Amino acid sequence: MRIIKVLIFLFLLSFTTHAFGKSNEYYQMVITNVLTNCKTETCKKEIFEKEIHIAFFNLLEAVLNQVEYELSQRKKELWLRDL
């Protein structure tokens, strides 16, 4: 149980404090849902793992989009310099 609490804390700390995080209301709704509807540790663990995976992939997608943008800008700079 202690590990789950630590994971929840780290998850909330890392994904609710940056621009790609979802709203606080969303996370409150997820936690309320877990506390009221999940009676087993397995159910709680599955929900938090799904949320972590979704948040990780959203963050990874944002990083890749930023890299793509920076590469396109660099390509434009090189193209203009060669003219």
Side-chain angles (χ1 to χ4, degrees), residues 12-75:
L12 292 175
L13 182 65
S14 61
F15 289 105
T16 59
T17 57
H18 63 79
F20 305 112
K22 296 180 182 178
S23 67
N24 288 337
E25 292 80 19
Y26 174 80
Y27 289 110
Q28 289 173 357
M29 185 179 66
V30 169
I31 291 173
T32 304
N33 181 38
V34 168
L35 295 176
T36 57
N37 295 334
C38 286
K39 303 298 180 197
T40 64
E41 292 296 317
T42 307
C43 174
K44 293 175 185 178
K45 184 178 177 182
E46 287 176 5
I47 290 175
F48 286 118
E49 284 178 353
K50 287 178 187 176
E51 287 297 320
I52 290 171
H53 284 138
I54 291 169
F56 175 75
F57 287 125
N58 287 341
L59 181 62
L60 187 59
E61 182 180 15
V63 168
L64 290 174
N65 287 338
Q66 182 66 29
V67 169
E68 181 181 15
Y69 172 75
E70 289 179 13
L71 285 173
S72 69
Q73 293 300 315
R74 182 70 53 104
K75 186 177 176 180

Side-chain angles (χ1 to χ4, degrees), residues 2-14:
R2 182 173 169 87
I3 293 174
I4 292 175
K5 288 180 182 178
V6 170
L7 287 175
I8 292 170
F9 176 75
L10 290 175
F11 172 76
L12 292 175
L13 182 65
S14 61

